[in-house]
Amino acid sequence: MPDLDKALADIVEIKSRLAQSSQFLGLGPAALATSGVLAFAVAALQTVLPGAAEPIAYFTGWVLTALVAVGLIGAEMLRRAQRHHAGLADQMIREAVLNFVPAGVAGAALLAFFARFAPAQLWLVPGLWLILVSLGIFAAARSLPRAIALAGAWYLLAGFTVLLLAATDQSLSPWHMGLPFAVGQLLVAAIVHRASEATNVR
Amino acid sequence: MSAEPDVPFAYDGLDRVIHEKARLGILTSLAGRPDGLAFNDLLRLCGLTQGNLSRHLAVLQEAGLVDIHKGYTGNRPLTEIHLTPAGRQRFLDYLSVLERVVRDASARAEQAAPGKPQVA
């Protein structure tokens, strides 16, 4: 039944176009703010725990933090997308996730590459991760509130600043991750919260 | 929008205002354009005459599905058409019902295919 399959594909294509041109309301300020607080807490913990600045402990801590943050944000995204986007929820979530997947994959690949082939250069990773996050935000900016570009700019600036600071002694500092992510995630949460309120008023 | 169990193929959600070839084309053209489209772009995309496009846009505007804004760019008149938020939602609801129609038809066609058991 190629005609029916073609008709279904056309309908899915139109829904995708609607999704691409709609503002994504699935990002929840609560989960975003929590991820920022979590980043700050992990940095504080790594500062006081002995051996936490060793590369394995350092990156294990931040990879686990990222997984928890993605889980929190993803769970709230599923709940909010169903509520705000109804019949378009699946398409909206897929579009949103696809925007961040390249940055996430590149971040994981960078860590694996440096750990395997250039462990002495692992100090580059936090700064590069921040730059990748900024690229993910800019990629998703079309379907997010306009002010989200500020958060993208913050992560970009923070990424290069961290690279500059880390280059002086080529070390891994918990605050090179904790501070930029805490500020960045709280900034994204504030932007999303403000946009949600504006939408509710409308 | 969901079909009653005893009349599964009623498809009441197929909005009659949208369920017309030209208007479906207009709404589909506007679907991916949050900034709207100019009247002349819609003419080109939908292959309609000016009179036909105006008539269908009037129907869609009256139903609250599109906004029509008449202004100027330089000294030239420019008419821009946008999907309204309500129009976007109604079009989405319509697409969901249409998707169900096609899936139901596909399932029936598979059942009716040679070698498949017939369902009463």
Side-chain angles (χ1 to χ4, degrees):
Chain A
M1 279 136 304
D3 288 347
L4 291 173
D5 290 342
K6 170 80 168 52
L8 265 181
D10 285 347
I11 293 169
V12 170
E13 164 66 18
I14 297 170
K15 286 174 90 171
S16 291
R17 285 173 59 186
L18 271 170
Q20 284 165 7
S21 63
S22 302
Q23 190 174 106
F24 184 53
L25 301 172
L27 285 179
L32 288 162
T34 305
S35 68
V37 172
L38 185 66
F40 191 88
V42 169
L45 200 65
Q46 285 194 336
T47 307
V48 295
L49 282 180
E54 291 301 314
I56 290 181
Y58 182 90
F59 285 110
T60 302
W62 286 110
V63 168
L64 288 176
T65 305
L67 292 176
V68 171
V70 167
L72 284 172
I73 294 166
E76 195 175 12
M77 184 190 292
L78 290 176
R79 190 176 56 78
R80 285 175 60 95
Q82 292 298 337
R83 196 175 72 209
H84 290 291
H85 297 301
L88 214 51
D90 290 348
Q91 272 90 354
M92 295 295 288
I93 290 172
R94 197 185 64 208
E95 295 291 335
V97 170
L98 283 178
N99 283 326
F100 282 99
V101 162
V105 170
L110 270 178
L111 178 59
F113 175 84
F114 279 107
R116 175 73 179 83
F117 298 109
Q121 311 304 321
L122 274 168
W123 58 271
L124 284 164
V125 173
L128 294 176
W129 274 356
L130 288 164
I131 292 169
L132 286 174
V133 170
S134 83
L135 295 180
I137 290 174
F138 284 128
R142 198 179 45 177
S143 59
L144 294 173
R146 279 189 183 180
I148 206 74
L150 282 176
W154 161 258
Y155 275 110
L156 190 64
L157 187 68
F160 282 107
T161 306
V162 163
L163 282 176
L164 205 64
L165 291 174
T168 55
D169 56 0
Q170 304 197 347
S171 65
L172 292 167
S173 164
W175 295 110
H176 286 174
M177 287 290 289
L179 211 53
F181 274 104
V183 174
Q185 292 303 93
L186 289 172
L187 181 59
V188 176
I191 291 166
V192 166
H193 177 66
R194 202 170 159 201
S196 294
E197 287 199 328
T199 305
N200 290 337
V201 168
R202 277 205 300 272
Chain B
M1 199 171 75
S2 62
E4 295 292 326
D6 52 340
V7 281
F9 305 123
Y11 304 120
D12 292 332
L14 280 184
D15 193 319
R16 283 176 188 275
V17 175
I18 301 174
H19 197 66
E20 197 280 334
K21 182 172 169 282
R23 293 198 283 269
L24 193 52
I26 293 168
L27 292 176
T28 302
S29 302
L30 293 171
R33 307 291 187 124
D35 298 329
L37 277 171
F39 186 88
N40 286 338
D41 291 333
L42 267 180
L43 269 182
R44 184 176 50 80
L45 288 167
C46 299
L48 297 169
T49 62
Q50 285 200 7
N52 254 334
L53 179 56
S54 297
R55 189 168 58 84
H56 287 299
L57 284 176
V59 172
L60 292 171
Q61 187 182 30
E62 195 178 332
L65 297 172
V66 300
D67 264 340
I68 300 174
H69 178 257
K70 294 187 177 181
Y72 287 89
T73 171
N75 288 328
R76 297 172 56 192
L78 176 71
T79 303
E80 286 185 313
I81 300 102
H82 301 83
L83 260 184
T84 63
R88 179 174 286 268
Q89 188 56 51
R90 275 175 64 182
F91 186 44
L92 181 60
D93 292 343
Y94 169 86
L95 287 174
S96 297
V97 179
L98 195 61
E99 191 174 353
R100 193 155 55 79
V101 171
V102 179
R103 287 192 194 281
D104 287 349
S106 186
R108 287 260 147 176
E110 270 190 24
Q111 285 169 7
K116 297 268 180 165
Q118 297 288 311
V119 177

